Amino acid sequence: MAILWVLIALLMMSFVLLPTLRRRRGMIELVSPDHPDAADPADYGFVRQEELDIRMPGPDQDLLDVLDLVQRTQDYRAAAQLLAGTETEGEPRWQRVQAFAGAAALELQQRPGGVHETPGGQWLRVWRAEQPKDAGGAAVHAEFLVQQAWRTSTPGSDEFRIIMEEARDACAQAALLAPGDPVPHIVELSVARGLAYSQPEFEKLWLRILDRAPNHMGAHLAALHYWCEKWHGSRELAYSFAEAAAARAPQGSLLAAMPLFAVFEHLPEVNLVSSFYQSEVVTKAIHGALHAVHAARPDDPMQAHVRHLLVFFLVRAERWAEAMNQLIHVDGHVGALPWILSADPAAEFALHRALAVAGYEANGGSPATLLT
Protein backbone atom coordinates (compact mmCIF):
# COMPACT_ATOMS: atom_id res chain seq x y z
CA MET A 1 0.00 0.00 0.00
CA ALA A 2 2.99 2.32 0.42
CA ILE A 3 3.40 2.20 -3.37
CA LEU A 4 -0.17 3.43 -3.75
CA TRP A 5 0.53 6.56 -1.71
CA VAL A 6 3.68 7.27 -3.70
CA LEU A 7 1.68 7.03 -6.93
CA ILE A 8 -0.95 9.36 -5.54
CA ALA A 9 1.67 11.90 -4.46
CA LEU A 10 3.26 11.86 -7.91
CA LEU A 11 -0.12 12.31 -9.56
CA MET A 12 -1.01 15.26 -7.36
CA MET A 13 2.36 16.94 -7.81
CA SER A 14 2.04 16.75 -11.58
CA PHE A 15 -1.52 18.17 -11.44
CA VAL A 16 -3.11 15.12 -12.98
CA LEU A 17 -6.89 15.00 -12.58
CA LEU A 18 -8.36 12.79 -9.90
CA PRO A 19 -7.65 9.21 -10.87
CA THR A 20 -10.45 6.67 -10.97
CA LEU A 21 -9.86 3.59 -8.84
CA ARG A 22 -11.11 0.07 -8.99
CA ARG A 23 -11.46 -2.57 -6.37
CA ARG A 24 -10.08 -6.07 -6.40
CA ARG A 25 -10.20 -8.36 -3.41
CA GLY A 26 -7.76 -6.91 -0.89
CA MET A 27 -6.25 -4.46 -3.39
CA ILE A 28 -6.78 -1.02 -4.91
CA GLU A 29 -5.47 -0.17 -8.36
CA LEU A 30 -5.39 3.01 -10.41
CA VAL A 31 -7.32 2.57 -13.66
CA SER A 32 -8.74 4.69 -16.46
CA PRO A 33 -12.14 6.33 -15.86
CA ASP A 34 -13.86 4.11 -18.45
CA HIS A 35 -12.64 0.83 -16.93
CA PRO A 36 -15.62 -1.47 -16.21
CA ASP A 37 -14.40 -2.20 -12.69
CA ALA A 38 -13.77 1.43 -11.72
CA ALA A 39 -15.22 2.30 -8.32
CA ASP A 40 -17.74 5.11 -8.64
CA PRO A 41 -18.51 7.34 -5.61
CA ALA A 42 -21.75 8.35 -7.36
CA ASP A 43 -23.07 4.86 -6.63
CA TYR A 44 -23.28 5.96 -2.99
CA GLY A 45 -25.11 9.18 -3.76
CA PHE A 46 -22.02 11.29 -3.16
CA VAL A 47 -21.89 14.80 -4.62
CA ARG A 48 -19.90 15.37 -7.79
CA GLN A 49 -16.50 16.98 -7.20
CA GLU A 50 -17.40 20.19 -9.04
CA GLU A 51 -20.50 20.59 -6.85
CA LEU A 52 -18.73 20.27 -3.49
CA ASP A 53 -19.17 23.37 -1.33
CA ILE A 54 -15.76 24.59 -0.12
CA ARG A 55 -17.13 27.44 2.02
CA MET A 56 -18.22 25.48 5.09
CA PRO A 57 -17.55 22.13 6.78
CA GLY A 58 -21.25 21.29 6.96
CA PRO A 59 -24.68 22.68 6.14
CA ASP A 60 -25.93 25.97 7.56
CA GLN A 61 -28.78 26.93 5.26
CA ASP A 62 -29.53 30.19 7.04
CA LEU A 63 -25.92 31.27 6.56
CA LEU A 64 -25.87 30.15 2.92
CA ASP A 65 -29.05 32.07 2.18
CA VAL A 66 -27.74 35.23 3.81
CA LEU A 67 -24.33 34.97 2.17
CA ASP A 68 -25.99 34.65 -1.21
CA LEU A 69 -28.22 37.65 -0.54
CA VAL A 70 -25.40 39.85 0.77
CA GLN A 71 -23.07 39.06 -2.11
CA ARG A 72 -25.82 39.48 -4.69
CA THR A 73 -27.13 42.80 -3.36
CA GLN A 74 -24.00 44.09 -1.54
CA ASP A 75 -26.34 44.95 1.34
CA TYR A 76 -24.99 43.94 4.75
CA ARG A 77 -28.27 44.16 6.69
CA ALA A 78 -29.21 40.49 6.38
CA ALA A 79 -25.79 39.52 7.80
CA ALA A 80 -26.21 41.92 10.70
CA GLN A 81 -29.65 40.49 11.44
CA LEU A 82 -28.43 36.89 11.33
CA LEU A 83 -25.56 37.56 13.75
CA ALA A 84 -27.81 39.55 16.06
CA GLY A 85 -30.04 36.48 16.33
CA THR A 86 -27.16 34.03 16.88
CA GLU A 87 -26.34 33.28 20.52
CA THR A 88 -22.92 34.46 21.63
CA GLU A 89 -21.84 31.35 23.53
CA GLY A 90 -22.33 28.74 20.81
CA GLU A 91 -20.17 27.54 17.96
CA PRO A 92 -22.42 28.87 15.13
CA ARG A 93 -21.63 32.53 15.87
CA TRP A 94 -17.91 31.92 15.50
CA GLN A 95 -18.41 29.97 12.28
CA ARG A 96 -20.70 32.63 10.84
CA VAL A 97 -18.29 35.43 11.69
CA GLN A 98 -15.54 33.47 9.92
CA ALA A 99 -17.77 32.87 6.90
CA PHE A 100 -18.76 36.53 6.48
CA ALA A 101 -15.18 37.70 6.93
CA GLY A 102 -13.92 35.08 4.49
CA ALA A 103 -16.52 36.08 1.90
CA ALA A 104 -15.49 39.73 2.13
CA ALA A 105 -11.80 38.84 1.93
CA LEU A 106 -12.36 36.63 -1.11
CA GLU A 107 -14.39 39.35 -2.83
CA LEU A 108 -11.58 41.85 -2.22
CA GLN A 109 -9.02 39.40 -3.58
CA GLN A 110 -11.07 38.86 -6.72
CA ARG A 111 -11.91 42.56 -7.17
CA PRO A 112 -9.18 44.70 -5.57
CA GLY A 113 -10.72 47.81 -7.09
CA GLY A 114 -9.22 50.66 -9.01
CA VAL A 115 -9.90 54.06 -10.42
CA HIS A 116 -13.19 53.03 -11.99
CA GLU A 117 -14.01 49.92 -9.98
CA THR A 118 -15.43 49.50 -6.48
CA PRO A 119 -13.39 47.00 -4.48
CA GLY A 120 -14.98 43.73 -3.43
CA GLY A 121 -16.31 43.38 0.10
CA GLN A 122 -17.61 46.95 0.09
CA TRP A 123 -20.67 45.79 2.05
CA LEU A 124 -18.46 45.14 5.10
CA ARG A 125 -16.99 48.65 4.97
CA VAL A 126 -20.49 50.12 4.68
CA TRP A 127 -21.63 47.95 7.61
CA ARG A 128 -18.88 49.32 9.85
CA ALA A 129 -19.47 52.89 8.70
CA GLU A 130 -23.25 52.85 9.15
CA GLN A 131 -23.39 50.73 12.32
CA PRO A 132 -20.14 51.34 14.24
CA LYS A 133 -21.76 50.10 17.49
CA ASP A 134 -22.92 46.79 15.98
CA ALA A 135 -21.06 43.99 17.75
CA GLY A 136 -21.50 41.51 14.90
CA GLY A 137 -20.04 43.86 12.31
CA ALA A 138 -17.11 44.67 14.61
CA ALA A 139 -16.32 40.98 15.07
CA VAL A 140 -16.53 40.30 11.33
CA HIS A 141 -14.22 43.25 10.64
CA ALA A 142 -11.65 41.98 13.14
CA GLU A 143 -11.70 38.50 11.60
CA PHE A 144 -11.51 40.06 8.12
CA LEU A 145 -8.29 41.84 9.06
CA VAL A 146 -6.81 38.63 10.47
CA GLN A 147 -7.62 36.74 7.28
CA GLN A 148 -6.20 39.57 5.18
CA ALA A 149 -2.93 39.42 7.08
CA TRP A 150 -2.52 35.70 6.52
CA ARG A 151 -3.70 35.86 2.89
CA THR A 152 -1.80 38.88 1.60
CA SER A 153 1.43 39.23 3.55
CA THR A 154 4.29 37.18 4.94
CA PRO A 155 4.34 36.43 8.68
CA GLY A 156 7.07 38.48 10.30
CA SER A 157 7.04 41.20 7.64
CA ASP A 158 6.27 44.83 8.44
CA GLU A 159 3.07 44.65 6.38
CA PHE A 160 1.91 41.57 8.28
CA ARG A 161 2.60 43.18 11.64
CA ILE A 162 0.78 46.39 10.70
CA ILE A 163 -2.36 44.50 9.65
CA MET A 164 -2.23 42.25 12.72
CA GLU A 165 -1.87 45.20 15.07
CA GLU A 166 -4.88 46.78 13.41
CA ALA A 167 -6.71 43.48 13.90
CA ARG A 168 -5.76 43.48 17.60
CA ASP A 169 -7.29 46.94 18.00
CA ALA A 170 -10.41 45.76 16.14
CA CYS A 171 -10.70 42.78 18.52
CA ALA A 172 -10.56 45.12 21.51
CA GLN A 173 -13.29 47.33 20.02
CA ALA A 174 -15.49 44.31 19.28
CA ALA A 175 -15.00 42.99 22.82
CA LEU A 176 -16.11 46.32 24.29
CA LEU A 177 -19.31 46.21 22.25
CA ALA A 178 -20.18 42.69 23.49
CA PRO A 179 -18.51 41.99 26.86
CA GLY A 180 -19.91 38.46 27.17
CA ASP A 181 -19.15 37.38 23.60
CA PRO A 182 -16.12 35.06 23.32
CA VAL A 183 -15.77 35.59 19.56
CA PRO A 184 -13.60 38.77 19.62
CA HIS A 185 -11.22 37.00 21.99
CA ILE A 186 -11.20 33.89 19.79
CA VAL A 187 -10.31 36.08 16.81
CA GLU A 188 -7.44 37.47 18.89
CA LEU A 189 -6.00 33.96 19.25
CA SER A 190 -4.88 34.22 15.61
CA VAL A 191 -3.45 37.65 16.32
CA ALA A 192 -1.56 36.17 19.26
CA ARG A 193 -0.05 33.55 17.00
CA GLY A 194 0.86 36.07 14.31
CA LEU A 195 2.35 38.63 16.69
CA ALA A 196 4.08 36.01 18.84
CA TYR A 197 2.47 36.80 22.18
CA SER A 198 4.51 35.58 25.11
CA GLN A 199 3.12 32.50 26.81
CA PRO A 200 1.93 34.47 29.89
CA GLU A 201 0.22 36.99 27.59
CA PHE A 202 -1.41 34.19 25.60
CA GLU A 203 -2.59 32.39 28.74
CA LYS A 204 -4.18 35.64 29.98
CA LEU A 205 -6.14 35.84 26.71
CA TRP A 206 -7.08 32.17 26.98
CA LEU A 207 -8.46 32.66 30.49
CA ARG A 208 -10.76 35.39 29.17
CA ILE A 209 -12.16 32.87 26.68
CA LEU A 210 -12.54 30.13 29.30
CA ASP A 211 -14.50 32.56 31.49
CA ARG A 212 -17.00 33.08 28.66
CA ALA A 213 -17.12 29.73 26.86
CA PRO A 214 -15.07 27.00 28.59
CA ASN A 215 -16.15 24.22 26.18
CA HIS A 216 -15.93 26.14 22.91
CA MET A 217 -14.43 23.72 20.38
CA GLY A 218 -13.55 26.41 17.84
CA ALA A 219 -11.63 28.32 20.48
CA HIS A 220 -9.66 25.23 21.46
CA LEU A 221 -8.75 24.54 17.84
CA ALA A 222 -7.56 28.12 17.39
CA ALA A 223 -5.53 27.97 20.60
CA LEU A 224 -3.96 24.66 19.62
CA HIS A 225 -2.15 26.36 16.73
CA TYR A 226 -0.27 28.63 19.14
CA TRP A 227 1.00 25.67 21.17
CA CYS A 228 2.19 23.72 18.12
CA GLU A 229 5.84 23.10 17.37
CA LYS A 230 5.71 25.16 14.15
CA TRP A 231 4.58 28.25 16.04
CA HIS A 232 5.29 29.11 19.67
CA GLY A 233 5.15 25.81 21.50
CA SER A 234 6.24 22.22 20.98
CA ARG A 235 4.79 18.83 20.20
CA GLU A 236 4.69 18.10 23.92
CA LEU A 237 2.90 21.34 24.79
CA ALA A 238 0.36 20.87 21.99
CA TYR A 239 -0.36 17.27 22.99
CA SER A 240 -0.64 18.31 26.63
CA PHE A 241 -3.10 21.09 25.76
CA ALA A 242 -5.22 18.75 23.61
CA GLU A 243 -5.21 15.91 26.13
CA ALA A 244 -6.12 18.24 28.99
CA ALA A 245 -9.07 19.56 26.97
CA ALA A 246 -10.21 16.02 26.22
CA ALA A 247 -9.85 14.96 29.85
CA ARG A 248 -12.05 17.75 31.18
CA ALA A 249 -14.58 17.56 28.34
CA PRO A 250 -18.15 17.17 29.62
CA GLN A 251 -20.27 14.26 28.42
CA GLY A 252 -21.16 14.71 24.75
CA SER A 253 -18.49 17.33 24.07
CA LEU A 254 -16.40 17.08 20.92
CA LEU A 255 -13.39 18.31 22.89
CA ALA A 256 -12.64 14.60 23.33
CA ALA A 257 -11.45 14.72 19.70
CA MET A 258 -8.76 17.34 20.36
CA PRO A 259 -5.84 14.85 20.46
CA LEU A 260 -6.55 13.91 16.83
CA PHE A 261 -6.14 17.55 15.81
CA ALA A 262 -2.86 17.71 17.74
CA VAL A 263 -1.61 14.63 15.89
CA PHE A 264 -2.60 16.20 12.57
CA GLU A 265 -0.74 19.43 13.36
CA HIS A 266 2.46 17.44 13.92
CA LEU A 267 2.35 15.03 10.99
CA PRO A 268 5.68 14.62 9.21
CA GLU A 269 6.04 16.70 6.07
CA VAL A 270 6.10 13.52 3.98
CA ASN A 271 4.75 10.26 5.33
CA LEU A 272 3.08 7.91 2.89
CA VAL A 273 3.38 4.72 4.95
CA SER A 274 0.07 3.34 6.14
CA SER A 275 1.66 1.76 9.23
CA PHE A 276 2.26 5.24 10.64
CA TYR A 277 -1.48 5.86 10.61
CA GLN A 278 -1.99 2.51 12.35
CA SER A 279 0.45 3.35 15.15
CA GLU A 280 -0.62 3.42 18.78
CA VAL A 281 -0.62 7.23 19.09
CA VAL A 282 -2.71 7.73 15.95
CA THR A 283 -5.05 4.83 16.72
CA LYS A 284 -5.73 6.16 20.22
CA ALA A 285 -6.49 9.63 18.84
CA ILE A 286 -8.80 8.16 16.18
CA HIS A 287 -10.70 6.16 18.78
CA GLY A 288 -11.12 9.26 20.95
CA ALA A 289 -12.54 11.19 17.99
CA LEU A 290 -14.86 8.33 17.01
CA HIS A 291 -16.17 8.20 20.57
CA ALA A 292 -16.64 11.97 20.53
CA VAL A 293 -18.80 12.03 17.40
CA HIS A 294 -20.80 9.05 18.63
CA ALA A 295 -21.55 10.76 21.95
CA ALA A 296 -22.12 14.29 20.62
CA ARG A 297 -25.49 15.81 19.78
CA PRO A 298 -26.43 15.12 16.16
CA ASP A 299 -26.88 18.86 15.57
CA ASP A 300 -23.54 19.89 17.09
CA PRO A 301 -22.08 22.23 14.44
CA MET A 302 -18.54 21.03 15.20
CA GLN A 303 -19.40 17.43 14.30
CA ALA A 304 -18.45 18.06 10.67
CA HIS A 305 -14.97 19.35 11.60
CA VAL A 306 -14.20 16.15 13.49
CA ARG A 307 -15.72 13.87 10.86
CA HIS A 308 -13.69 15.45 8.04
CA LEU A 309 -10.45 14.89 9.93
CA LEU A 310 -11.54 11.33 10.71
CA VAL A 311 -12.04 10.69 6.98
CA PHE A 312 -8.44 11.75 6.37
CA PHE A 313 -6.99 9.50 9.08
CA LEU A 314 -9.28 6.51 8.52
CA VAL A 315 -8.51 6.41 4.80
CA ARG A 316 -4.78 6.57 5.44
CA ALA A 317 -5.10 3.88 8.09
CA GLU A 318 -6.98 1.75 5.51
CA ARG A 319 -10.04 1.57 7.74
CA TRP A 320 -12.31 1.81 4.73
CA ALA A 321 -15.72 0.97 6.22
CA GLU A 322 -15.28 3.45 9.05
CA ALA A 323 -14.19 6.12 6.57
CA MET A 324 -17.32 5.48 4.51
CA ASN A 325 -19.48 5.84 7.62
CA GLN A 326 -18.00 9.29 8.18
CA LEU A 327 -18.34 10.29 4.53
CA ILE A 328 -22.09 9.74 4.46
CA HIS A 329 -22.40 12.39 7.19
CA VAL A 330 -20.20 15.12 5.65
CA ASP A 331 -20.26 14.63 1.89
CA GLY A 332 -21.21 17.79 0.02
CA HIS A 333 -19.28 20.29 2.15
CA VAL A 334 -15.48 20.39 2.35
CA GLY A 335 -14.62 23.68 4.06
CA ALA A 336 -12.67 22.04 6.89
CA LEU A 337 -9.31 20.62 7.82
CA PRO A 338 -7.48 19.00 6.18
CA TRP A 339 -8.93 19.85 2.77
CA ILE A 340 -8.75 23.65 3.12
CA LEU A 341 -4.95 23.43 3.32
CA SER A 342 -4.91 22.24 -0.29
CA ALA A 343 -4.89 24.54 -3.30
CA ASP A 344 -7.96 22.59 -4.46
CA PRO A 345 -9.94 21.44 -1.39
CA ALA A 346 -12.63 19.72 -3.46
CA ALA A 347 -10.09 17.64 -5.39
CA GLU A 348 -8.25 16.65 -2.21
CA PHE A 349 -11.48 15.55 -0.55
CA ALA A 350 -12.64 13.72 -3.69
CA LEU A 351 -9.34 11.83 -3.86
CA HIS A 352 -9.72 10.52 -0.31
CA ARG A 353 -13.37 9.74 -0.95
CA ALA A 354 -12.49 7.72 -4.06
CA LEU A 355 -9.88 5.80 -2.08
CA ALA A 356 -12.45 5.06 0.63
CA VAL A 357 -14.94 3.76 -1.94
CA ALA A 358 -12.33 1.63 -3.70
CA GLY A 359 -10.98 0.21 -0.45
CA TYR A 360 -14.46 -0.48 0.85
CA GLU A 361 -15.42 -2.38 -2.30
CA ALA A 362 -12.09 -4.21 -2.44
CA ASN A 363 -13.02 -5.71 0.90
CA GLY A 364 -16.52 -6.78 -0.06
CA GLY A 365 -18.48 -3.60 0.58
CA SER A 366 -21.19 -2.15 -1.64
CA PRO A 367 -23.86 0.56 -1.55
CA ALA A 368 -26.28 -2.03 -0.19
CA THR A 369 -24.06 -3.03 2.72
CA LEU A 370 -23.31 0.59 3.64
CA LEU A 371 -26.98 1.36 4.01
CA THR A 372 -27.74 -1.63 6.24
Side-chain angles (χ1 to χ4, degrees):
M1 293 306 295
I3 295 175
L4 170 65
W5 289 108
V6 173
L7 288 172
I8 292 169
L10 291 173
L11 285 169
M12 293 176 68
M13 286 188 290
S14 58
F15 301 98
V16 174
L17 293 175
L18 173 68
T20 303
L21 300 116
R22 71 167 174 179
R23 62 274 183 276
R24 294 177 57 191
R25 190 165 186 81
M27 298 178 61
I28 306 175
E29 296 179 355
L30 298 173
V31 296
S32 63
D34 58 353
H35 194 286
D37 288 336
D40 187 357
D43 292 342
Y44 296 83
F46 291 147
V47 174
R48 293 168 61 88
Q49 179 180 327
E50 58 268 27
E51 296 174 355
L52 291 168
D53 191 326
I54 65 173
R55 295 172 295 179
M56 290 177 284
D60 183 341
Q61 194 58 51
D62 288 342
L63 174 59
L64 286 174
D65 292 342
V66 169
L67 268 175
D68 179 66
L69 179 62
V70 168
Q71 295 190 301
R72 188 175 67 253
T73 65
Q74 291 295 296
D75 187 335
Y76 69 86
R77 285 176 293 183
Q81 184 177 7
L82 181 64
L83 285 182
T86 305
E87 65 175 8
T88 57
E89 295 82 6
E91 306 283 351
R93 184 175 179 84
W94 167 231
Q95 295 193 26
R96 289 171 174 179
V97 165
Q98 285 185 300
F100 287 131
L106 183 58
E107 282 185 37
L108 182 59
Q109 180 182 339
Q110 294 171 341
R111 301 193 311 277
V115 177
H116 303 294
E117 182 185 25
T118 301
Q122 183 68 17
W123 54 269
L124 177 55
R125 285 182 282 276
V126 174
W127 187 357
R128 293 296 295 132
E130 292 188 354
Q131 296 195 29
K133 302 291 188 181
D134 182 70
V140 172
H141 179 238
E143 174 65 19
F144 168 81
L145 290 170
V146 167
Q147 293 195 26
Q148 279 295 95
W150 291 111
R151 284 170 182 261
T152 64
S153 54
T154 303
S157 67
D158 289 342
E159 180 186 8
F160 181 84
R161 176 167 288 277
I162 288 170
I163 301 173
M164 277 296 187
E165 288 176 347
E166 185 181 356
R168 178 165 56 186
D169 291 340
C171 288
Q173 293 172 20
L176 286 174
L177 291 171
D181 187 353
V183 169
H185 304 285
I186 299 172
V187 175
E188 193 181 349
L189 291 172
S190 290
V191 176
R193 178 162 54 99
L195 294 181
Y197 281 22
S198 67
Q199 290 189 6
E201 189 177 10
F202 183 87
E203 288 169 349
K204 184 178 178 181
L205 169 61
W206 183 238
L207 285 175
R208 292 203 296 270
I209 295 170
L210 291 181
D211 284 343
R212 292 162 175 80
N215 300 315
H216 199 290
M217 180 75 172
H220 281 79
L221 292 177
L224 177 64
H225 290 301
Y226 177 90
W227 294 113
C228 287
E229 188 173 60
K230 59 189 172 186
W231 287 106
H232 309 298
S234 64
R235 181 188 300 265
E236 291 73 22
L237 285 171
Y239 277 31
S240 176
F241 175 80
E243 288 164 2
R248 67 170 182 269
Q251 179 65 30
S253 169
L254 287 164
L255 288 175
M258 283 297 298
L260 189 64
F261 287 87
V263 170
F264 176 76
E265 292 295 338
H266 293 87
L267 288 178
E269 288 294 325
V270 177
N271 192 313
L272 304 177
V273 181
S274 61
S275 60
F276 171 81
Y277 295 94
Q278 298 164 354
S279 65
E280 181 179 353
V281 170
V282 176
T283 298
K284 181 179 178 182
I286 289 174
H287 286 169
L290 287 169
H291 172 75
V293 296
H294 178 74
R297 300 189 329 269
D299 62 345
D300 190 318
M302 295 304 292
Q303 278 256 24
H305 288 273
V306 180
R307 290 188 187 277
H308 278 292
L309 198 61
L310 275 168
V311 170
F312 173 85
F313 277 99
L314 291 169
V315 166
R316 293 184 174 222
E318 300 174 19
R319 295 167 63 166
W320 312 116
E322 291 169 290
M324 292 293 287
N325 286 330
Q326 299 305 316
L327 281 167
I328 62 176
H329 287 95
V330 298
D331 189 72
H333 297 82
V334 296
L337 286 174
W339 327 121
I340 56 174
L341 299 180
S342 169
D344 189 341
E348 184 75 5
F349 173 82
L351 173 60
H352 282 73
R353 184 179 65 184
L355 283 166
V357 170
Y360 182 63
E361 294 185 357
N363 288 275
S366 71
T369 59
L370 185 64
L371 295 175
T372 58

